[in-house]
Structures are given as C-alpha cells and as structure tokens.
Amino acid sequence: MCPKRAENQEPVNREVDVQRLSVLGSTGSIGTQTLDIVRLFPDRFEVCALTAGTNADLLITQAREFLPECVVIGDARRRKQVEEALEPLGIRVLAGREGLCEAAALDKVDTVVAALVGFAGLESVIEAVRAGKNVALANKETLVVAGQLVTHLLKEHRGTLVPVDSEHSAIFQCLVGEPANSVESLILTASGGPFRTRPAETFGSITRAEALAHPNWSMGAKITIDSATMMNKGLEVVEARWLFDIPAERISVLVHPQSIVHSFVVFSDGSAKAQLGLPDMRVPIQYALSYPERWPAPHERLDWSEAMHLHFEPPDRAKFPCLDLAYEALGAGGSAPAILNAANEQAVALFLSDKIRFTDIPDAIDRALGSVPVQEHPDLAYLIACDAETRRVVLEHVRTITI
Ligand code: NAD
Ligand code: MG
C-alpha cells in the first residue's frame, strides 16, 4: 500500500500550512521524540491532543508547553490531578480508552501519531483510520494484530498510514518513485540486540537489567525486551507484510549490529536500495511528518570521511526462536499473529516482573500458538477477545513454571 501512495498520494496538507497533530502516547520514547520534532519546526505544527498512560506529571508539563485542546490520561485515578493542573489553561481532560479514541478522531486533527505501545494502541489507531486521518504509525503491534482489518479500513475510509518504525521508514523512502510491481524482496536489518554473541547455553540466566541494555537504541521497556529476543524483528516482518503488501516469503532479516543501514529493497532488475543514517528515531519520525517533503534538520550526521566497515550476518534462528514463531504465525494467517502478539506481550510483562526466565518467553508464545484456535477473518471484537484469551492461556501455563 505504501508504494502506491508514494506515487499517487497528494502531499500531506499541501493546502494547509500548519499540520494539526494528535500525539497518542506522548510521554513515551517515540512520543517525546515526536515533540522534539514539533519543537524543531514550531511553525509547521499545532498540537491538538496529547495522551499518556500513567505519567500524569509529564503529561501536565507537556500540556503547559504545547497548549493542546485536550489531553487524555489512561489511568482514570489520575484524572483529577491532571484536571486541577490544567483547568486554569482551559484544557479539556479526558480519561481511559474512550478518551483515547476521541483524541484519535478529533475533527480538526490532520495527523495522528500512534505511539502507544502494544495492543493498547489498537482501538485508537482504528478510530483514526475510520476518521480518515493521516496516521504516522509507530505502534507496530496494531498491524501485527489487525493487519488485514486495518488494510481493509484504510481502503474504505481513504486514510493513509506512514511508517515511523526505522526499518519501514527506510523501505518507504527507498520505494519513493519506484513502480509498485518492481519490488522483488525486502530485507529488514536487525541489530541482533544485546545477546547476539552471548552463548545460547547461558540464555536461561539472562537478567532483566541485561535484557534492558540495548547496544544502539534507547527505547521503551517492551520493545527493548523484544529486541533482545528478536521478536521485535518478527513483529516487523508482519508489519512489513501489511504496509508494503509483500508476502512473507519475500521478506527476510539480516543482522547488522551497527544499525546504520536501516533496511533494503531489492528490485526486479537485481538492483538494491538502502537507507542509511545514525540510529536516531527522530529522523524517521520527522520523515513520517514531512513526507513527501524533506525538511532540513540538524540531526547528527554519519562521518563519511572516516574509514568504515559495515558488518552483516544471517540471524541465528536457533538461538532466537521468536523470529521463526513470527513467520509461523504470519503463515497461519487470520488471528494467529494476534495470538503471537498477545502471548509475547504477556510473557514480556512477566519477564519484566521477574516471574519467568528469558527462555520462557518463546516457550510461552509457542504454547499459545499451539492451543488458542485461529479465526480466518477476525473482526475487532474477535481480536479483543482473542487477546484476552491468549493472555489467560499464558498466565495459566506460567503457574506451572518455577524460577
Ligand atoms: P514507551 O513505553 O516508551 O511509551 C508508550 C506510550 O504509550 C507512553 O506514553 C505510555 O504512557 C502510553 N501507554 C502505554 N500503555 C498505555 C495504555 N494502556 N493506555 C494509554 N496509554 C498507554 O514505548 P515506545 O518505545 O515509545 O514505543 C511505542 C511504540 O513505538 C511501540 O509500538 C514500539 O514498538 C514502537 N517503536 C518504538 C521505537 C523506539 O525507539 N522507542 C522504535 C520503533 C518502533
Ligand atoms: Mg524497528
């Protein structure tokens, strides 16, 4: 779907000087970096809505700076605190899931930056798509869980989806100006995470702190653990399948520990394109907001005058079974990727609270994929039920684990 947009789509807000934003998940890693881009181009943006899960203090600080029309606090118990702080500024305060969905579909908003983490972001992205917004999508889990449904809704409501994820942004950039039928394959690069060279026999003793120490990127806790298990790359394969309408057999993964080449596209004439740069999420966030333009910005450059070696190696699929689990779920189709995602989210949460070992994460996902039934064409209600059921299955299984 993205290559077609690159050719045919009108530029975002060609007629409009100011792009009106709703930043969902504004207190997270992607959300705060999105606001860095707004600070860099204050004349180009108006922030209409900001949302947070639990971090009321940061949400209040952001609201005082950007003066949005409304803010949403996910945790309804903190609503009063936010209301008291923002009442003098006349900022409307909403709470919970309904508030989030309202912020995603505000009439005056042009672009919704979807930067919630996990399944919790799904409904708000669907609301934004139904309202025909431009969606700058960081929340990859939405496409993993509901790629089929979101693709269908995008066509129906003539919405647009531009990737924020660095690999998908790289591919999106490589596809600009290329005919849609000229793509032979996509190669997603992966850093390999903190355990690329660690012996597999020691994986059982990996601690939370070790898994949270990513060598190249500073990100939220969930995606950092996903990078350590390489499930992040598995989720990104599913994300790429839906964003670029390319079957799984034509999407591969290549480990590139320096995170400088952000991904490749191989074309039907044998030529390949890649997009390169230092690992800095503000670059793909800015491109998602400036597309189809490029805006000059002072992000740090690679030093091309220095000698440099770029290293690539195939992923170790035995050491990182999450990658094959993602391909398996994508192959099974229907709700299988939603099962994969829910089991992963639940297992990662358990690992982060020291309830299971690192090696229990792929085991829990494998079991869930083997036991939760798959529905071929799930609707939103089914996907919500499937998510809950899968989490229940993982929790039940985990009761039998002792660490
Ligand atoms: P994060 O944990 O730093 O931030 C998540 C945001 O969502 C926070 O504002 C949090 O308050 C909000 N949130 C979480 N749960 C919520 C809930 N139940 N209700 C309402 N709000 C809730 O996460 P992140 O690292 O910024 O990642 C966000 C998304 O972007 C993820 O899907 C991730 O995979 C993707 N992504 C992140 C990076 C990165 O560098 N951080 C890179 C590529 C893709
Ligand atoms: Mg990525």
Side-chain angles (χ1 to χ4, degrees), residues 29-216:
S29 164
I30 294 292
T32 52
Q33 292 179 87
T34 300
L35 295 178
D36 286 343
I37 299 300
V38 175
R39 285 188 193 99
L40 213 49
F41 301 97
D43 301 339
R44 290 188 182 271
F45 297 108
E46 179 187 335
V47 175
C48 300
L50 296 169
T51 88
T54 53
N55 193 343
D57 292 338
L58 183 54
L59 182 66
I60 291 166
T61 306
Q62 291 178 339
R64 286 182 175 143
E65 179 181 354
F66 293 98
L67 300 173
E69 175 185 313
C70 75
V71 299
V72 184
I73 181 82
D75 181 351
R77 288 168 305 178
R78 297 176 200 228
R79 182 179 190 154
K80 199 158 182 295
Q81 179 199 346
V82 182
E83 272 173 350
E84 280 171 7
L86 299 184
E87 204 257 308
L89 297 169
I91 297 171
R92 206 153 56 96
V93 179
L94 307 168
R97 281 170 51 204
E98 295 76 18
L100 199 58
C101 288
E102 195 176 327
L106 285 179
D107 271 349
K108 69 186 296 202
V109 164
D110 305 302
T111 300
V112 173
V113 180
L116 254 74
V117 59
F119 182 86
L122 173 68
E123 282 180 284
S124 52
V125 173
I126 287 189
E127 278 306 311
V129 171
R130 284 199 173 124
K133 305 296 185 193
N134 308 310
V135 179
L137 185 80
N139 179 242
K140 65 190 85 183
E141 293 89 348
T142 282
L143 282 182
V144 174
V145 171
Q148 202 177 49
L149 178 65
V150 170
T151 306
H152 172 78
L153 290 172
L154 276 168
K155 282 193 189 124
E156 190 179 328
H157 298 277
R158 306 170 74 86
T160 52
L161 201 68
V162 178
V164 165
D165 213 349
S166 57
E167 297 75 5
H168 305 74
S169 176
I171 291 167
F172 187 58
Q173 293 180 53
C174 292
L175 290 174
V176 169
E178 298 289 352
N181 61 2
S182 66
V183 177
E184 189 168 274
S185 63
L186 305 178
I187 302 172
L188 298 176
T189 52
S191 71
F195 307 129
R196 182 176 61 92
T197 57
R198 180 170 169 147
E201 317 79 79
T202 69
F203 270 31
S205 62
I206 285 171
T207 65
R208 183 179 184 274
E210 286 171 328
L212 281 172
H214 194 281
N216 303 347

Side-chain angles (χ1 to χ4, degrees), residues 72 146 159 161 167 254 265 324 375:
V72 184
L161 201 68
E167 297 75 5
L254 185 61
V265 179
D324 282 342
Q375 154 88 255

